[in-house]
């Protein structure tokens, strides 16, 4: 049953370009399907978060991560009486704006684009779905509903001024109320993202042998998870033991968010989706106690995984790839693919506009294509891989 504070697809604020509604799908279901069929979504298969795409078949990619986030988001949305389709849509779209090489690639592009308005992956995601996907006859982008665009733009909270250039340009014709919080559905998608990456970064770090199961068993929350597994399944196989502990960790995070959300909703008592946006604080979040424990885990991951020597070495190498490609295309825009060269012709001698086109092009690359492109145009290969054992 839909809660009073949930977004109602029958009451959507509509699309920038009016379309006849689908007979068989709600507006939010249609948004979801357009995202799944987009080129940007398909490219997530070969974009990574911490490790580079070719390092191992078992590591999460942006695609597998997005699917995990969508699954968690739907579960929480159902428990809270929210619109599951809108929640899933925002979850599937939340990583569309990430460039190759995960956070390393984003850091590199942010630095390179600093003179031209900066780079922000959430803003880039909005740019993709409003401008860069060019498949439909009547409009650029995917012509998504207002609620989906709002969720993509501000699922992490209100967006402060000055707006990232990509978001300002994309929202010139759309008032997304960026100063307010997003819908409860978008907030659920954001917390599902946090839950998913907190869980799978631990799993991926174990598989890369950057730390041990015994070390995890000493961390907050996980300590009790391992103790519960050991008491119930003494002598359990190593791999099953860590899986059982990590899935319990996953469940604790979900239950904490739901319990905290229900308490906040009972306190605020919103009667409409707009009441959630205007509440002045997020509705969906971790409790203070659990968030404090998660900070300990994130500090552990930062030291042992994100700043592991092998990962740092790879970060330096792929940063160089982005730092080489960006000035190369600025100096040689004729090397861009044909469909991108038309955009270059339209901006004439505007260096800022050209830099933004180059940024759009590079940010859309997969890890694999960026490496191949670098080797073909500039030369040199990237090595220093993290060793993965079966």
């Amino acid at each position: 049953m839909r809660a009073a504070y949930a977004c109602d697809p029958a009451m959507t604020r509509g699309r920038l370009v009016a379309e006849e509604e689908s007979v068989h799908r709600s507006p939010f279901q249609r948004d979801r399907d357009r995202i799944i069929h987009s080129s940007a979504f398909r490219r997530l298969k070969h974009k990574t978060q911490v490790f580079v795409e070719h390092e191992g078949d078992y590591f999460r990619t942006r695609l597998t991560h997005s699917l995990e986030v969508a699954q968690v988001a739907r579960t929480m949305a159902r428990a809270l009486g929210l619109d599951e389709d809108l929640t899933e849509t925002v979850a599937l779209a939340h990583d569309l704006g990430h460039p190759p090489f995960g956070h390393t690639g984003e850091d590199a592009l942010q630095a390179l684009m600093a003179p031209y308005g900066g780079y922000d992956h959430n803003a880039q995601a909005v740019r993709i779905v409003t401008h860069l996907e060019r498949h439909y006859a009547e409009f650029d982008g995917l012509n998504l509903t207002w609620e989906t665009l709002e969720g993509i733009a501000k699922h992490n909270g209100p967006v402060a001024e000055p707006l990232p250039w990509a978001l300002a340009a994309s929202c010139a014709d759309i008032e997304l109320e960026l100063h307010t919080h997003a819908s409860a559905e978008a907030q659920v998608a954001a917390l599902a993202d946090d839950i998913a990456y907190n869980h799978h970064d631990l799993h991926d770090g174990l598989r890369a042998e950057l730390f041990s199961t015994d070390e995890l068993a000493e961390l907050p929350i996980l300590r009790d998870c391992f103790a519960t597994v050991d008491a119930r399944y003494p002598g359990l196989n190593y791999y099953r033991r860590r899986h059982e502990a990590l899935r319990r960790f996953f469940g604790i995070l979900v239950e904490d968010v739901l319990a905290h959300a229900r308490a906040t909703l009972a306190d605020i008592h919103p009667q409409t989706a707009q009441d959630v946006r205007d509440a002045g604080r997020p509705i969906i979040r971790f409790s203070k106690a659990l968030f404090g424990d998660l900070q300990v885990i994130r500090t552990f991951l930062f030291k042992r995984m994100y700043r592991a020597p092998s990962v740092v070495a790879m970060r330096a190498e792929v940063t160089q790839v982005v730092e080489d490609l960006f000035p190369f295309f600025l100096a040689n825009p004729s090397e861009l693919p044909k469909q991108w060269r038309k955009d270059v012709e339209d901006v004439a001698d505007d260096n800022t506009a050209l830099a933004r086109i180059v940024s759009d092009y590079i940010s859309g690359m997969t890890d694999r294509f960026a490496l191949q492109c670098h080797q073909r145009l500039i030369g040199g290969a990237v090595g220093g891989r993290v060793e993965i054992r079966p």
Side-chain angles (χ1 to χ4, degrees), residues 202 214-224 296-297 300:
L202 293 171
D214 289 342
E215 289 176 290
L216 287 194
E218 294 301 317
L219 293 172
I221 309 174
L222 288 156
R223 185 182 302 116
D224 291 339
V296 175
I297 294 173
F300 172 85

Side-chain angles (χ1 to χ4, degrees), residues 195 198-199 202 220-222 225 244-254 294 297:
I195 290 169
N198 274 293
H199 171 262
L202 293 171
I221 309 174
L222 288 156
C225 293
E244 287 291 334
L246 286 176
R247 78 182 187 93
R248 281 165 174 75
F249 171 73
F250 199 104
I252 288 170
L253 301 191
V254 171
L294 279 179
I297 294 173

Side-chain angles (χ1 to χ4, degrees), residues 16-299:
L16 187 60
V17 178
E19 296 184 64
E20 184 178 347
E21 290 299 338
S22 170
V23 175
H24 306 293
R25 298 172 294 171
S26 77
F28 301 151
Q29 289 172 333
R30 200 176 194 183
D31 285 356
R32 177 201 60 206
D33 296 347
R34 286 183 176 180
I35 288 166
I36 289 174
H37 289 281
S38 69
S39 299
F41 188 75
R42 288 195 300 276
R43 286 196 295 269
L44 296 180
K45 178 182 178 183
H46 296 294
K47 291 190 178 189
T48 46
Q49 301 192 204
V50 177
F51 302 99
V52 175
E53 188 265 336
H54 57 243
E55 291 185 298
D57 292 338
Y58 290 100
F59 293 135
R60 269 74 172 186
T61 65
R62 290 281 173 194
L63 179 60
T64 58
H65 167 70
S66 296
L67 295 175
E68 291 177 8
V69 172
Q71 178 269 314
V72 181
R74 283 198 76 109
T75 296
M76 292 199 293
R78 185 179 303 117
L80 296 172
L82 302 174
D83 187 278
E84 295 179 40
D85 297 317
L86 176 59
T87 308
E88 181 184 27
T89 300
V90 176
L92 290 171
H94 84 280
D95 266 357
L96 290 180
H98 275 285
F101 313 128
H103 298 294
T104 303
E106 181 166 11
D107 290 344
L109 267 183
Q110 283 175 341
L112 291 163
M113 284 295 292
Y116 309 106
Y119 182 88
D120 175 85
H121 74 266
N122 283 334
Q124 189 69 17
V126 176
R127 181 165 171 77
I128 287 168
V129 300
T130 58
H131 178 67
L132 296 180
E133 287 281 329
R134 299 174 182 175
H135 306 295
Y136 296 88
E138 297 182 2
F139 46 78
D140 286 343
L142 304 179
N143 199 34
L144 304 176
T145 62
W146 186 93
E147 291 79 5
T148 294
L149 290 176
E150 178 214 27
I152 298 172
K154 58 180 184 176
H155 58 276
N156 289 329
V159 184
E161 298 281 354
L163 299 180
W165 75 265
L167 189 56
S170 301
C171 296
D173 299 319
I174 313 167
E175 174 50 64
L176 292 179
E177 301 174 6
L178 296 173
H179 62 286
T180 70
H181 287 276
S183 65
E185 286 83 356
Q187 293 183 40
V188 164
L191 264 292
D193 181 28
D194 288 349
I195 290 169
Y197 78 68
N198 274 293
H199 171 262
H200 66 53
D201 280 3
L202 293 171
H203 191 274
D204 285 353
L206 283 171
R207 181 166 288 280
E209 298 186 358
L210 296 176
F211 45 78
S212 69
T213 300
D214 289 342
E215 289 176 290
L216 287 194
E218 294 301 317
L219 293 172
I221 309 174
L222 288 156
R223 185 182 302 116
D224 291 339
C225 293
F226 277 100
T228 299
V229 172
D230 292 341
R232 185 167 182 177
Y233 306 106
L236 188 64
N237 169 276
Y238 168 83
Y239 294 102
R240 293 178 189 268
R241 177 176 180 256
R242 78 183 189 189
H243 174 80
E244 287 291 334
L246 286 176
R247 78 182 187 93
R248 281 165 174 75
F249 171 73
F250 199 104
I252 288 170
L253 301 191
V254 171
E255 290 299 330
D256 180 85
V257 170
L258 290 176
H260 189 270
R262 290 180 179 121
T264 304
L265 288 165
D267 179 43
I268 295 176
H269 199 56
Q271 294 303 297
T272 67
Q274 194 62 35
D275 288 345
V276 171
R277 296 184 177 97
D278 296 335
R281 56 170 162 156
I283 304 294
I284 315 297
R285 61 193 306 181
F286 294 114
S287 66
K288 289 184 179 179
L290 187 131
F291 184 74
D293 288 340
L294 279 179
Q295 290 302 93
V296 175
I297 294 173
R298 298 304 292 174
T299 299

